[in-house]
Each structure stands twice: as C-alpha cells, then as structure tokens.
Amino acid sequence: MVAEATVGLQPAPFFLLPPSSIPPPVSIEERQQEEKAQRRRSLVDAAEAVLGRMPMENMTMADIASAARLSRSLLYVYFEDMEDIVLAVTLRGFEALAEQFEAAVQAHDAGLMQIRAVGEAYVRFAHEQPTYFDLVARFEARSADPEAATDRERACLAAADRVMTAMTDAIQNGIDDGSIRPDLDPTETATMLWGYTHGLIQLMANKETGLQQQYGINPDALIDRGLDFIGVALTGTSPHPAPTIPTEASLAQQGKDSRSRPPSLF
C-alpha cells in the first residue's frame, strides 16, 4: 500500500505531459542575452557597492572590476566609460525614488496629505539610500539636453519625469478636492517644493552638528516643521495678489482724496 501511494505521487514522465505544459526551448541567442543582462546587473551592483564605500570621484573602473570579480576590460564590453556605469546606478536611484513617491500618493486620499507623504518619503530616501540621493542630486544639478542625451541619460530623464509626475498629480488632486488652494500651477509648485525640500535635506546633512551647537536646532524637528510650512503655503492665500492697473479715473480720484486730506504734521 505504501509503495503504491509513493508511486502515485511521482510526477508524470516528461513525454506524457500535455504540450501546453511543456516550456518552449530557449534558443542559444535568448540564453546569451539573459547571461549578458545578468552580467550587466552584476556590474551595476558592484559599482553601487563601491559607491557606498567611497566618493564617486575616487572610484575607478578597477575598483568596480575587483568588486565584480571580473576583468577590467570586460567592463568596457557593457559600458562605454565610468560616466555610463554611474548613470546606470543613477537610473536605479530615480526608479527607486519614483516608486516611493507613487506609493506615498496612493496611500492617501486628500491631495494635501499626498504631498506631505511625498515630502516625508524624500526625507527617508535621503536618509536610507544616501548613495542614490547623491547621484540623483548630481544628475539634477547638471544641464541635460534631451536632444543630445545618450540612451542612459534619456532613461534617467524619463524616470525623473515619473518623480515630477507623482508630485504634480498630488498637487492637482489637492486642487480638485479642495485641500490645496486653486490658484497654484501644479508643475511650477512641484518644482519649487522639490528645490525647497532638497535644500532643507542638504542643509541638515551638511550643517546638522553646527546648527545644533550654535542655535540649538533639532534637525528632525526642523525637517518636520519645514514640511508643515509647505502645508501652510499650499493651503493659505497668496501673499502676492495680482496688482490692480490704475485707470485715469482712479488716478483722478486719488488726486482729489489727497487734496481733501489735512496737511500732515510729520
């Protein structure tokens, strides 16, 4: 009985499987492409690991080859130069940031809470993934012409657009649901918030000890209040109302008013 049960549990021979359950054979070309993709990922992993240990300016192709346990000449089969492989790591950073921003937006209903969550996600990103944060900041600081960009640069620009879209969507959602004031342009506002939050994070990263010692500023509290400040700006009235263009009648009335007022003693 035991023997029969054991035999019954064994899988059917390969030649008895229905055709639909037999995986198609992998061609030599497909296998070679998979191996190349895996090796490319391994090289990017190695570059990312090296960047986690030393500044980008100090990293060499030999460092990456050593971390990947491959010859340095093999790196040039997959990447044109150092900038090319650094851009591959940068792309990972943009993709990770975009995913976190999109998750932050999806986690809340009101647009104002969405943009707050995006700000908090950016602070976490800088703290938990400093290598990505630094590479993303370096890429954003340089001027990239989409017309003359390489394939890798265009991929980074597309991922950066995902980041910006998550922010503009949150702002537009807030305008639509009434939690954010309606006189704001979503793209312009997202750009300003990006610069403001990034500058606040950089300030804390570079001057955290000095601000604590000299002014008694708690960095975590400052970040939190900075995000609160964004909320006030997004919900308050505009501090710069549109100017009223004077007309001849209004100027004439101003002249009458000034003549009717008694002379000032001061």
Side-chain angles (χ1 to χ4, degrees):
M1 294 291 291
V2 175
E4 291 178 0
T6 303
V7 172
L9 292 174
Q10 293 179 350
F14 184 78
F15 58 84
L16 294 179
L17 291 174
S20 60
S21 64
I22 301 175
V26 178
S27 68
I28 295 175
E29 183 179 356
E30 288 175 329
R31 184 177 291 109
Q32 290 175 339
Q33 290 299 322
E34 290 176 3
E35 291 174 353
K36 287 180 65 175
Q38 179 57 45
R39 187 162 291 173
R40 186 179 291 108
R41 285 192 295 270
S42 297
L43 291 171
V44 179
D45 289 342
E48 184 176 329
V50 174
L51 285 168
R53 300 194 303 265
M54 66 176 65
M56 185 179 71
E57 292 79 8
N58 296 345
M59 184 174 69
T60 66
M61 296 296 266
D63 293 325
I64 300 171
S66 176
R69 298 183 179 180
L70 296 171
S71 67
R72 186 170 60 177
S73 60
L74 191 60
L75 265 66
Y76 293 98
V77 175
Y78 297 93
F79 298 96
E80 293 182 5
D81 49 26
M82 177 67 75
E83 182 181 11
D84 194 29
I85 195 168
V86 169
L87 282 173
V89 185
T90 303
L91 176 59
R92 286 185 174 183
F94 271 115
E95 290 174 341
L97 183 59
E99 290 172 3
Q100 292 178 36
F101 276 21
E102 289 163 357
V105 172
Q106 294 170 5
H108 299 275
D109 294 327
L112 184 62
M113 295 305 298
Q114 290 174 354
I115 202 67
R116 168 75 185 219
V118 165
E120 293 172 346
Y122 195 32
V123 173
R124 283 196 306 274
F125 177 77
H127 179 70
E128 297 173 1
Q129 298 175 293
T131 299
Y132 284 167
F133 177 81
D134 179 62
L135 292 175
V136 166
R138 287 172 181 267
F139 185 86
E140 288 291 346
R142 70 192 218 179
S143 177
D145 180 8
E147 298 286 333
T150 65
D151 290 343
R152 200 90 60 187
E153 287 173 330
R154 278 193 288 270
C156 288
L157 289 170
D161 284 344
R162 279 182 60 193
V163 173
M164 181 61 71
T165 298
M167 297 180 68
T168 55
D169 285 351
I171 295 167
Q172 185 62 60
N173 291 340
I175 292 172
D176 294 341
D177 65 34
S179 61
I180 293 177
R181 48 191 257 214
D183 62 318
L184 298 177
D185 176 85
T187 302
E188 183 181 82
T189 304
T191 303
M192 289 188 292
L193 293 184
W194 177 282
Y196 170 82
T197 310
H198 183 82
L200 198 58
I201 293 170
Q202 290 280 44
L203 180 66
M204 288 299 95
N206 297 332
K207 297 184 178 293
E208 177 179 352
T209 303
L211 290 173
Q212 282 183 305
Q213 293 177 348
Q214 189 169 358
Y215 302 111
I217 293 177
N218 180 286
D220 294 332
L222 185 63
I223 292 287
D224 195 54
R225 289 180 187 131
L227 296 178
D228 289 343
F229 189 82
I230 289 175
V232 173
L234 293 177
T235 57
T237 56
S238 172
H240 301 292
T244 302
I245 300 176
T247 61
E248 291 185 7
S250 65
L251 291 173
Q253 184 61 44
Q254 289 178 11
K256 292 179 182 178
D257 292 342
S258 64
R259 289 193 296 272
S260 64
R261 285 197 299 269
S264 173
L265 298 178
F266 302 98

